[in-house]
């Protein structure tokens, strides 16, 4: 009996030892894989041909945040219209990664729109759907580290605190994207954010003619150009992404063909064009059409 | 007695494998570098105060045997002052040069708005107002009407990182015995903030 007990103890130690050994081997395999990838990348760098002394590599861009865009419209006097933002109830209808990424941006703009207009109940709904979509598109860690919803609800009514929280979310998102090389995701979701911001401004403008908002719509075309370049730099574009690029470029081309813009010549790079009423209407309608296509 | 020896042998066996396992769980130098960048991003954002944080971009690069440029296009949507915060503590080897222009590289007529050499292992900030003044000065010298100059604002900025050429060291791969060029990398962080007044 004593012999059997001793043998059991010995075998237990042996089995535990084997478990450690198998874990070490697994980690070794992962390390070898990482090194192999790195060597492969190095070899690709060496294979590149030198055509000029200075060679442009892939470009990057920094777009303005949804909060800044919402703040700009708000300062221009854009008032809150309740049924204008995309309904949070539609979140479960977005099933493809592309749609989820775009609408993540759309809801981000809607959240900012609510916050700058002191609509905190509505903002809370948008924060929840943003978190839900974030989990689906690979941004779950952004919302897991802090109890974002609880902090938001604790600070309802305090605009400065809510805005600080929104900026904190933006920082976390930017960090996560940088750490995980999710630049392509950021291009897509920012496209959604920009389109929604433009949509909210366009719809407000068509309901109530306001020269200031018309001017801001004109200013936002700069962002469309940056987004367009960001999408063009994506190496593998799906058909949905290509369609998105086509529509954004159509908006840019429409803008640059306006008489008001052509009259500015080269100065359009530094001066805001004052669009005529019919030009504003055409631009606004194109944006509304694009946005409605994206959220279907 | 035999059992004790056997247990001691197994314990030794297990302990040695455990040490090997722990060594493999240690972070690689590149993973440690990525963790450092996280702290640098935070420092970079903090340097924006009192401007409101708007966005950031970390630019990774590999030193090559020729000079080359990485360009960032930055959007400016309102006529207010912006602050750009750079953190180059992720550059451990040869320093790079930072240049900021009003147009992308394809335009020969673009204006150099800002330039800084020896960027590496340091941090610095700058505001757009000084660069706008420089642009306006150049436009005036070119004969642009004062009325037009006064209406000017930035809509985009182009930040160029000029990565210098380096002589790549050669190492012998211990596994294959072949010669391998040593790859050196770096990263610089740019954070942008705007005045919300």
């Amino acid at each position: 009996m004593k012999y059997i007990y001793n043998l059991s103890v010995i075998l237990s130690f042996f089995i535990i030892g084997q478990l450690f050994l198998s874990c070490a081997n697994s980690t070794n395999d992962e390390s070898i894989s990482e090194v192999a990838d790195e060597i492969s990348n190095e070899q690709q760098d060496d294979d590149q041909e030198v055509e000029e002394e200075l060679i442009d590599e892939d470009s990057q861009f920094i777009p303005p945040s949804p909060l800044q865009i919402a703040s700009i419209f708000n300062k221009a006097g854009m008032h809150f219209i309740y049924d204008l933002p995309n309904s949070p109830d539609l979140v479960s209808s977005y099933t493809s990664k592309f749609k989820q990424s775009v609408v993540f941006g759309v809801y981000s703009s809607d959240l900012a729109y609510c916050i700058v207009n002191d609509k905190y109940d509505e903002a809370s709904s948008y924060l929840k759907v943003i978190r839900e979509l974030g989990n689906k598109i690979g941004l779950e860690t952004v919302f897991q580290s802090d109890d974002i919803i609880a902090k938001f609800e604790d600070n309802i009514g305090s605009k400065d605190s809510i805005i600080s929280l929104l900026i904190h979310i933006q920082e976390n998102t930017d960090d996560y994207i940088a750490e995980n090389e999710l630049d392509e995701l950021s291009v897509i979701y920012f496209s959604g954010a920009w389109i929604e911001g433009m949509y909210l401004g366009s719809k407000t403008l068509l309901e109530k003619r306001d020269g200031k908002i018309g001017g801001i719509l004109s200013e936002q075309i700069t962002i469309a150009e940056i987004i367009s370049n960001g999408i063009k730099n994506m190496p593998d574009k799906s058909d949905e992404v290509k369609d998105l690029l086509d529509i954004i470029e159509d908006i840019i081309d429409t803008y640059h063909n306006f008489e008001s813009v052509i009259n500015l010549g080269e100065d359009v790079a530094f001066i805001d064009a004052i669009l005529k009423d019919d030009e504003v209407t055409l631009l606004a309608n194109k944006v509304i059409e694009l946005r409605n296509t994206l959220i279907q | 007695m035999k059992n004790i020896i056997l247990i001691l042998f197994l314990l030794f066996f297990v302990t040695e494998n455990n040490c090997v396992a722990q060594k493999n769980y240690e972070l690689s130098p590149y993973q440690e570098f990525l963790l450092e960048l996280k702290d640098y991003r935070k420092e970079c954002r903090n340097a924006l105060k009192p401007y409101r944080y708007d966005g950031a971009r970390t630019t990774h690069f590999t030193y090559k045997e020729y000079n080359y440029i990485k360009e960032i296009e930055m959007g400016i949507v309102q006529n207010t002052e912006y602050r750009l915060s750079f953190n180059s503590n992720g550059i451990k080897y040869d320093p790079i040069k930072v240049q900021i222009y009003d147009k992308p590289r394809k335009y020969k007529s673009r204006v150099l708005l800002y330039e800084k050499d020896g960027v590496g292992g340091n941090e610095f900030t700058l505001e757009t107002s000084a660069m706008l003044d420089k642009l306006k000065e150049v436009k005036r010298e070119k004969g642009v009407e004062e009325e037009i100059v006064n209406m000017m604002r930035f809509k985009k900025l182009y930040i160029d990182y000029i990565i210098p050429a380096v002589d790549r060291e050669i190492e012998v791969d211990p596994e294959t015995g072949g010669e391998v060029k040593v790859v050196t990398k770096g990263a610089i962080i740019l954070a942008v903030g705007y005045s919300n007044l």
Side-chain angles (χ1 to χ4, degrees), chain A residues 2-22:
Chain A
K2 189 177 177 182
Y3 172 77
I4 291 171
Y5 172 77
N6 288 340
L7 187 59
S8 301
V9 169
I10 293 165
L11 283 174
S12 299
F13 275 108
F14 183 73
I15 290 168
I16 291 169
Q18 288 301 305
L19 283 172
F20 275 112
L21 183 60
S22 68

Side-chain angles (χ1 to χ4, degrees), chain A residues 169-189:
Chain A
I169 294 172
Q170 179 77 46
E171 289 172 352
N172 283 356
T173 305
D174 290 346
D175 268 353
Y176 189 79
I177 284 173
E179 288 160 21
N180 294 280
E181 297 178 4
L182 297 174
D183 288 346
E184 291 187 12
L185 171 63
S186 76
V187 173
I188 300 301
Y189 97 67

Side-chain angles (χ1 to χ4, degrees), chain A residues 3-55:
Chain A
Y3 172 77
I4 291 171
Y5 172 77
N6 288 340
L7 187 59
S8 301
V9 169
I10 293 165
L11 283 174
S12 299
F13 275 108
F14 183 73
I15 290 168
I16 291 169
Q18 288 301 305
L19 283 172
F20 275 112
L21 183 60
S22 68
C23 288
N25 281 339
S26 169
T27 308
N28 275 336
D29 290 341
E30 288 167 2
S31 299
I32 289 169
S33 174
E34 285 171 6
V35 170
D37 286 342
E38 198 162 340
I39 289 174
S40 172
N41 289 337
E42 292 167 23
Q43 287 170 345
Q44 284 175 9
D45 288 343
D46 288 337
D47 290 341
Q48 285 178 352
E49 292 180 4
V50 177
E51 294 179 7
E52 303 174 8
E53 185 182 4
L54 293 173
I55 297 177

Side-chain angles (χ1 to χ4, degrees), chain B residues 96-112:
Chain B
I96 69 172
K97 184 190 288 189
V98 174
Q99 292 177 330
I100 301 179
Y101 291 90
D102 62 328
K103 291 180 183 176
R105 286 201 71 231
K106 63 181 181 182
Y107 292 98
K108 291 184 180 177
S109 64
R110 64 183 189 157
V111 177
L112 177 62

